[in-house]
Amino acid sequence: MKRLSTLDRFLPVWIGAAMVAGVLLGRFVPGLQRVLDAVKVGDVSLPIALGLLLMMYPVLAKVRYDKLDTVTRDKRMVISSLVLNWLIGPALMFALAWLLLPDLPEYRTGLIIVGLARCIAMVIIWNDLARGDREAAAVLVALNSVFQVVMFGVLGWFYLQVLPGWLGLDTAALDVNVWSIAKSVLVFLGIPLLAGYLSRRLGEKAKGRQWYESKYLPKVGPVALYGLLFTIVVLFALQGHTITAKPWDVARIALPLLAYFTIMWAGSYALGKAIGLRYARTTTLAFTAAGNNFELAIAVAIGVFGVTSGQALAGVVGPLIEVPVLVALVYVSLWLRKRWSHSDAHITDPRPAGHVVDRHPPKQTRTPPQATHQCVPLVRTA
């Protein structure tokens, strides 16, 4: 934890402070929404759009896009990650949202959007703190980034319109425009993804990877959290009255999030152990499956439903719950690491990714050395 910057280490505190600052700003600065809406990008005010883009770019600039083949050879890990992230994760959040928020359609939709936004940001930090496989985490983040551009709109249509209809659930209180969701994803994920890819490629080509990762990334990295905190301030400035009048709603949003993070992490950890992954990659699998891209969820909720919507509020509550929960799970991982086999936890496997480890190698017989009576001459030196 000492390796984290002050901003990262106390992120829940800063988020709470941003919420308080937003509520106070909304109370003492009348006409704030009119000022923010003076210039718009599509349906989103320009200041908020810039904050959302700043949240996403530094995260995507960190991804090592040239490392895809180093982990994709490990079919067990890649297939497990895709199943957890794109089948089980969204389905679990959908079930929790409908079970625990059946009477709050806006918050329920916001949580489903959070479940569709797979983690590509803070997971790098949690993975490093828990001593997971850094290269594997980078590759899974890259895969999630690409999949989100392609699949987010499709899964949004399925979980917000198709599946509720199949199950006979009442969605009359909510009108969801799936094309608006797809457009928001393309703008608020597609543009930063392209910028992140080009900045890494051009930066490494011009000055090398060492300069890019030791000089450039530390400078732009904090921008993501500044953008997140700015967005939270604006959201709470515009929704402060609603939030202070309905604290029970915030508590109800937090409950399915808490259940989601815990179930996904524990289930992913058990799966990694069951399929024979080593500690480092099991840890990476668990954190990449449990975390969510709350930056994208907030961006989509604002772009589709508006900055004062219940969906946007549900997205903002996401990091407030996720950060302390996953920090706690880092400590759980390190505790489990001590109980893992010594070779799995402490030795880096030199074999290529995807190599199947023989857990029952044949016993080797040891031949005792033959006795010899060879005389060794004694050499005197001056």
Side-chain angles (χ1 to χ4, degrees):
M1 291 295 292
K2 293 180 180 178
R3 291 164 48 199
L4 287 175
S5 67
T6 302
L7 186 64
D8 288 330
R9 193 182 312 165
F10 297 103
L11 183 57
V13 177
W14 308 138
I15 292 176
M19 292 177 174
V20 174
V23 172
L24 295 176
L25 184 66
R27 177 168 296 183
F28 295 108
V29 181
L32 181 62
Q33 184 168 2
R34 185 176 63 255
V35 174
L36 291 174
D37 289 341
V39 181
K40 285 190 173 184
V41 177
D43 296 326
V44 181
S45 69
L46 180 60
I48 296 175
L50 291 176
L52 297 174
L53 292 172
L54 289 176
M55 284 195 300
M56 299 298 297
Y57 166 72
V59 174
L60 295 164
K62 294 179 181 180
V63 176
R64 290 186 176 182
Y65 298 94
D66 62 335
K67 293 292 184 179
L68 283 171
D69 61 336
T70 64
V71 177
T72 51
R73 289 195 299 269
D74 190 342
K75 303 300 183 184
R76 296 170 302 170
M77 183 174 191
V78 171
I79 293 174
S80 299
S81 178
L82 292 177
V83 169
L84 287 167
N85 277 286
W86 298 102
L87 293 178
I88 296 177
L92 176 61
M93 187 67 89
F94 173 87
L96 290 171
W98 272 98
L99 285 172
L100 299 176
L101 301 174
D103 56 329
L104 298 172
E106 290 190 357
Y107 300 151
R108 184 179 65 233
T109 300
L111 287 182
I112 293 173
I113 290 174
V114 170
L116 298 178
R118 310 313 303 165
C119 192
I120 62 172
M122 297 294 288
V123 67
I124 300 295
I125 294 177
W126 314 138
N127 182 73
D128 276 1
L129 290 175
R131 302 201 178 182
D133 188 320
R134 181 175 296 178
E135 294 301 330
V139 171
L140 294 182
V141 163
L143 288 175
N144 280 343
S145 300
V146 174
F147 261 74
Q148 282 186 95
V149 174
V150 177
M151 295 299 298
F152 195 103
V154 175
L155 290 176
W157 166 73
F158 178 76
Y159 280 104
L160 295 175
Q161 288 190 347
V162 177
L163 187 57
W166 288 352
L167 299 176
L169 300 173
D170 182 17
T171 59
L174 184 66
D175 182 21
V176 179
N177 188 330
V178 177
W179 295 113
S180 296
I181 293 178
K183 182 177 68 174
S184 295
V185 172
L186 288 175
V187 172
F188 295 113
L189 179 60
I191 292 175
L193 178 62
L194 179 61
Y197 172 78
L198 291 177
S199 62
R200 175 173 280 278
R201 185 175 181 84
L202 297 178
E204 289 186 356
K205 185 177 181 180
K207 296 192 175 183
R209 173 162 291 181
Q210 178 66 24
W211 172 87
Y212 183 83
E213 295 192 344
S214 64
K215 300 293 183 182
Y216 180 74
L217 287 182
K219 291 182 179 179
V220 301
V223 173
L225 296 182
Y226 296 144
L228 173 64
L229 295 176
F230 168 77
T231 304
I232 290 174
V233 169
V234 173
L235 282 172
F236 275 74
L238 299 177
Q239 296 204 51
H241 177 72
T242 302
I243 295 166
T244 54
K246 299 179 180 179
W248 177 240
D249 287 359
V250 176
R252 290 189 62 184
I253 294 171
L255 182 59
L257 287 168
L258 182 61
Y260 172 85
F261 296 135
T262 305
I263 294 171
M264 284 298 295
W265 187 89
S268 303
Y269 219 93
L271 176 61
K273 183 72 171 177
I275 64 177
L277 295 180
R278 291 175 176 266
Y279 168 82
R281 291 201 168 178
T282 298
T283 299
T284 299
L285 181 68
F287 280 102
T288 52
N292 287 87
N293 184 2
F294 46 78
E295 296 96 335
L296 178 61
I298 294 171
V300 171
I302 292 175
V304 177
F305 301 102
V307 71
T308 59
S309 64
Q311 291 86 347
L313 176 60
V316 170
V317 174
L320 183 64
I321 305 303
E322 177 176 346
V323 173
V325 169
L326 292 189
V327 167
L329 291 175
V330 167
Y331 286 102
V332 176
S333 289
L334 295 175
W335 178 80
L336 290 172
R337 183 172 181 262
K338 298 176 183 178
R339 285 149 180 79
W340 214 274
S341 67
H342 181 78
S343 60
D344 281 357
H346 298 282
I347 297 177
T348 302
D349 191 351
R351 288 166 291 194
H355 181 88
V356 179
V357 178
D358 187 358
R359 298 196 177 275
H360 302 286
K363 294 183 178 179
Q364 297 180 356
T365 57
R366 190 175 180 183
T367 304
Q370 296 180 353
T372 61
H373 300 281
Q374 183 178 0
C375 295
V376 180
L378 179 63
V379 180
R380 288 179 65 90
T381 57

